Amino acid sequence: MNRLSDKRALPGKLSAPQIAILIFLPIAAAAVALCAGRMAISVSDVIKVFGNHLGFEFEVSKFTDSAVWNNRLPRIILSILVGGGLSVAGCAFQGVFANPLATPDTLGAASGSSFGAALAILCGFGLPGIQSLALFFGISAVAVTHLCSKGKGLSGTVLAGIMIGSLFSSLISLVKFVADTDSQLPAITYWLMGSLSSASYRSLIIGAPIIIISVLLLFLLRWRMNLLPLSDDEAKSSGTNIRVLRAVTVICASAITASCVSMCGQVGWVGLLVPHMCRMRFGNNYLSLIPSSICVGSTFMILVDTLARSATAAEIPVSIITAIIGAPFFIYLLKRSDFSA
Amino acid sequence: MSLTVENGSFFYLKESPILNNINFSADRGDIVAVLGKNGAGKTTLLKCITGLLKWKSGKSLLDDEDISKMPQRQRWSKIAYVPQAKNSLSTFTVEETVLLGRSSSLGIFSQPSKKDSDAVKNILNRLGISKISSKKCSRISGGELQMVLIAKALASEPDVLILDEPESNLDFRNQLIVLDTISKLASDGITCIFNTHYPAHALQRANKSLVFLSDGKTIFGETSKVVTEDVLENAFGVKAVIGNIETPSSVMKEVIPVSVSDMKPDGIKINEQQGFSLAVLAVICADNSSDVSINKLLHGCSHFLVGRMGMPYRDGGVYIINVIIDAPTDVIENLAFNLSILPGVSVKATYAKNIIERNDPNE
């Protein structure tokens, strides 16, 4: 036993082989995703496309080049950001509210963003407009939740979040109700089901920095986040300003969520599923939970999105696939492990 | 490190004050027991001492430095607080939980290093819980959890340890383990302050006590002087008998509650001087860990000592001290009591049959 604890100098830290596998997973998934799809592209062609963009001269058809570089690559980047981001946001909310059922939408961020997006589609805005409005309403929803529940404690915040969330859900219904049934209503409905098909380098420029900065911040705070489930007195007596820590965590997680929804609509399940998969495998220590969630989340999202665009001629909304794959897999894990969250 | 509270008062509503003009002080290695009935304000007092709640007036001082003015990080590296045990950390292992106690010495973005995890291993060894270090906190017993929480508090290497009802809800054996740990920590130089529902624990462990009386006032002093039958009747509304139980190694105090009392004694009698006695204290120390405390105690009444002999008995692995003392009876009782609460120290007093009629040697 001593040998074992010496090998893992720090409890809760990932071991070197675990880190290697976790880094390998999204890379492997990305490689598969670049090749697979409605049009299968050979590995050598993919390498040639990358070579061309790095300044070499290879013989590749224009069509292949565009499929790999302008279509599949941005989608993969978006998948990594959304999958990793939503998973980390889920971990963070579960910690802040000391509740394993908390999801990135607990404070109304996702509902707010969805309303913003629906409103933008109703007004006939283009993609940048949709993105900005979604982001704005997502952050506003969390701010309103905060104002409503100031000084009412954590359960007060959760309750206010649920109220604000359902308020925005009704507003979405209102928007749908007044929308033009031929063009706008389907557009809004598809958006709400979530899809990464709108991914482009331009849309990434608006959304990606917010996700990257927030995830990075939470990654750096990962050990400190272990203090989140503690009672106020316990947390304070470990010399940490728990209010600031909670605020930073909530702001980062909400920004990630709003930003994800603004780019690809509501992608359900990932924020609940991936953190719990990682908890079962790597334990509840945020030191390992945050990095593993990023890697597993992005891998999961890449695979789901690849399936979404290649399974049938028409794209299947990702939310449907995350739930169809996720729910049985989650139950399988639940049955197998000694679950205690 | 000494901890002093000066004129501390606290209330949530001005009309109903909870803590009124509290004064007390504890030196390095002191054990202070806080006694009082349910709702008297014991937990509030502990939170005010540490600064988790702010005194409405008055202050707590740590070596003459106002605790409320100390930066958080510095404060919590000197004081550690063990709240009433509840399992909010059930998902972590014991080792992970204790490691969280190191956070006051770490930067906000930094992770604990090998040094930190070594410190944690030392603490787990010291408290005798290294066997359960990789178990989840949800899978250990209440007694083990209390030890883990103490270990977590010790991880910041504090000078003052404040414990809120550390032995509540524990069985016979685990109560003893927790109390022994407190005695041990105090003899290592950590000042311990703990709330308790058991007057007997104050009488068996604490050299000083603070008691909440029924009128909201408090009294503070040497345990043998302030935890008396009168005070218990006033504080708890219970007629109780304090008796001595003699074991082969020492004489221990025990409290038996006899009946509920509605009478409030008019005044509190602090044990008064009862004339002089001559006594021989026979002391056997299991090791030399309590040397400093013993010397300090003996030094405190050096002008009453008639003779003193100390010798190591190597074959037996013990140290033997004999003290002949001619002093007011309460001084002798207090000395014997304070020696008996030190870990590993056996002590008994033999009194001369006749109280010697003569003047105070100081005069």
Side-chain angles (χ1 to χ4, degrees):
Chain A
M1 205 196 93
N2 250 332
R3 257 197 16 246
L4 190 109
S5 52
D6 277 342
K7 227 160 76 185
R8 288 182 44 169
L10 201 58
K13 205 170 188 169
L14 293 168
S15 66
Q18 283 176 327
I19 294 173
I21 291 172
L22 282 172
I23 292 176
F24 171 75
L25 276 177
I27 295 174
V32 170
L34 281 171
C35 301
R38 295 294 299 160
M39 186 188 79
I41 299 173
S42 69
V43 180
S44 62
D45 279 353
V46 171
I47 294 171
K48 280 179 189 164
V49 171
F50 273 79
N52 279 343
H53 286 272
L54 288 172
F56 298 99
E57 301 270 330
F58 291 110
E59 213 31 53
V60 200
S61 77
K62 251 210 157 91
F63 185 71
T64 309
D65 181 87
S66 154
V68 170
W69 194 258
N70 292 329
N71 195 332
R72 288 183 191 174
L73 190 59
R75 282 186 80 141
I76 288 166
I77 295 173
L78 184 60
S79 301
I80 291 174
L81 290 174
V82 169
L86 287 178
S87 307
V88 170
C91 287
F93 277 125
Q94 286 157 18
V96 169
F97 299 113
N99 184 340
L101 292 178
T103 64
D105 196 23
T106 304
L107 294 186
S111 308
S113 304
S114 302
F115 168 71
L119 194 65
I121 296 173
L122 183 75
C123 300
F125 292 168
L127 201 58
I130 295 177
Q131 241 182 321
S132 333
L133 218 54
L135 207 54
F136 171 76
F137 275 99
I139 304 285
S140 314
V142 178
V144 172
T145 300
H146 172 70
L147 288 178
C148 292
S149 60
K150 219 172 176 181
K152 302 287 178 211
L154 283 180
S155 2
T157 313
V158 174
L159 278 177
I162 292 171
M163 290 307 138
I164 298 297
S166 45
L167 174 70
F168 276 110
S169 298
S170 324
L171 290 177
I172 293 171
S173 301
L174 185 68
V175 169
K176 280 178 165 176
F177 184 71
V178 299
D180 172 47
T181 47
D182 288 331
S183 57
Q184 288 174 335
L185 185 58
I188 293 173
T189 310
Y190 285 133
W191 177 275
L192 291 178
M193 285 185 201
S195 165
L196 280 70
S197 60
S198 65
S200 68
Y201 294 115
R202 236 185 53 197
S203 70
L204 283 175
I205 286 171
I206 305 179
I210 298 176
I211 300 182
I212 292 172
I213 291 169
S214 304
V215 169
L216 194 69
L217 208 55
L218 291 176
F219 180 78
L220 289 173
L221 282 170
R222 63 195 187 283
W223 187 71
R224 202 54 64 156
M225 283 171 77
N226 283 325
L227 294 167
L228 285 173
L230 263 61
S231 71
D232 276 17
D233 287 343
E234 278 178 289
K236 271 190 214 158
S237 63
S238 38
T240 302
N241 193 334
I242 189 71
R243 284 187 180 188
V244 172
L245 182 66
R246 281 201 189 114
V248 169
T249 311
V250 165
I251 290 170
C252 286
S254 304
I256 293 171
T257 308
S259 188
C260 287
V261 176
S262 80
M263 285 193 287
C264 59
Q266 274 197 333
V267 181
W269 268 90
V270 181
L272 185 66
L273 186 76
V274 174
H276 281 299
M277 275 162 55
C278 294
R279 279 174 203 274
M280 289 171 201
R281 188 71 196 82
F282 303 106
N284 285 296
N285 198 316
Y286 282 85
L287 203 53
S288 55
L289 195 55
I290 296 286
S292 58
S293 289
I294 294 174
C295 295
V296 173
S298 42
T299 310
F300 180 76
M301 203 63 216
I302 295 172
L303 294 179
V304 165
D305 181 52
T306 308
L307 201 63
R309 66 182 158 81
S310 34
T312 58
E315 273 212 35
I316 308 172
V318 279
S319 274
I320 297 176
I321 304 186
T322 49
I324 290 177
I325 299 183
F329 186 57
F330 189 75
I331 290 165
Y332 165 75
L333 278 178
L334 194 59
K335 286 272 176 207
R336 264 196 45 178
S337 67
D338 59 335
F339 176 74
S340 64
Chain B
M1 179 139 303
S2 76
L3 174 78
T4 312
V5 171
E6 283 177 3
N7 306 319
S9 298
F10 184 82
F11 52 81
Y12 287 105
L13 294 169
K14 206 160 189 162
E15 308 82 86
S16 49
I18 299 169
L19 303 175
N20 243 327
N21 205 18
I22 305 241
N23 283 290
F24 79 91
S25 70
D27 293 324
R28 189 186 137 87
D30 273 351
I31 301 181
V32 180
V34 178
L35 289 169
K37 60 183 178 202
N38 285 333
K42 298 190 296 291
T43 300
T44 312
L45 171 65
L46 294 194
K47 287 188 178 175
C48 285
I49 294 174
T50 58
L52 285 172
L53 289 172
K54 280 206 174 73
W55 291 114
K56 297 292 178 186
S57 67
K59 56 192 168 185
S60 350
L61 301 169
L62 210 53
D63 275 350
D64 300 328
E65 198 178 344
D66 192 335
I67 287 181
S68 65
K69 296 196 174 104
M70 287 163 78
Q72 290 277 338
R73 205 167 265 245
Q74 193 194 342
R75 179 198 307 175
W76 294 113
S77 63
K78 290 184 175 157
I79 306 181
Y81 177 64
V82 183
Q84 280 178 33
K86 62 177 178 217
N87 209 341
S88 54
L89 284 164
S90 54
T91 56
F92 293 135
T93 66
V94 167
E95 207 177 353
E96 286 168 339
T97 305
V98 177
L99 196 57
L100 287 180
R102 297 284 295 178
S103 48
S104 62
S105 60
L106 289 170
I108 183 83
F109 288 129
S110 52
Q111 270 86 51
S113 64
K114 183 90 169 59
K115 195 186 96 200
D116 296 303
S117 75
D118 285 348
V120 166
K121 282 193 191 110
N122 281 338
I123 289 161
L124 294 177
N125 277 331
R126 184 168 161 201
L127 298 191
I129 50 172
S130 47
K131 258 186 286 178
I132 57 166
S133 67
S134 52
K135 276 195 188 177
K136 274 195 177 181
C137 285
S138 52
R139 300 279 158 86
I140 60 178
S141 73
E144 287 167 335
L145 179 67
Q146 187 63 55
M147 294 302 285
V148 170
L149 293 177
I150 294 176
K152 174 166 164 275
L154 289 177
S156 59
E157 293 162 15
D159 299 311
V160 179
L161 185 64
I162 292 178
L163 308 101
D164 198 356
E165 297 186 7
E167 85 286 39
S168 284
N169 303 319
L170 296 187
D171 66 26
F172 226 38
R173 177 187 158 84
N174 282 313
Q175 285 193 349
L176 201 58
I177 291 176
V178 168
L179 292 170
D180 280 347
T181 304
I182 294 174
S183 298
K184 182 78 185 54
L185 294 172
S187 81
D188 291 346
I190 297 176
T191 308
C192 297
I193 299 175
F194 74 107
N195 276 352
T196 180
H197 281 304
Y198 304 93
H201 292 168
L203 284 165
Q204 289 159 12
R205 302 289 172 166
N207 59 329
K208 292 177 177 173
S209 290
L210 186 136
V211 187
F212 283 87
L213 300 175
S214 54
D215 57 1
K217 293 205 179 89
T218 53
I219 54 169
F220 172 75
E222 302 267 359
T223 302
S224 56
K225 289 182 185 160
V226 299
V227 182
T228 62
E229 292 170 2
D230 276 355
V231 169
L232 290 181
E233 183 168 2
N234 181 303
F236 293 97
V238 167
K239 269 198 194 322
V241 180
I242 298 177
N244 291 327
I245 293 177
E246 185 159 358
T247 69
S249 61
S250 65
V251 178
M252 290 162 79
K253 302 242 187 206
E254 182 54 284
V255 179
I256 311 285
V258 179
S259 63
V260 174
S261 138
D262 295 324
M263 289 262 298
K264 281 186 186 149
D266 300 332
I268 301 299
K269 261 205 311 231
I270 304 285
N271 277 1
E272 291 289 325
Q273 196 164 314
Q274 307 155 330
F276 272 69
S277 298
L278 177 69
V280 178
L281 299 187
V283 183
I284 304 176
C285 314
D287 51 48
N288 55 8
S289 65
S290 298
D291 274 4
V292 180
S293 316
I294 293 173
N295 283 331
K296 202 171 124 196
L297 285 171
L298 293 180
H299 188 73
C301 30
S302 58
H303 56 285
F304 291 122
L305 296 189
V306 178
R308 174 181 171 180
M309 183 276 286
M311 59 170 249
Y313 174 54
R314 292 212 177 77
D315 291 351
V318 294
Y319 200 86
I320 298 165
I321 304 169
N322 247 309
V323 176
I324 304 153
I325 181 167
D326 182 357
T329 312
D330 65 310
V331 171
I332 302 179
E333 280 175 358
N334 202 31
L335 176 64
F337 171 75
N338 282 333
L339 286 171
S340 72
I341 61 172
L342 297 173
V345 176
S346 312
V347 60
K348 268 184 197 176
T350 309
Y351 291 85
K353 268 187 178 160
N354 302 318
I355 295 176
I356 310 152
E357 286 288 339
R358 57 161 188 69
N359 296 326
D360 193 311
N362 287 339
E363 284 166 8

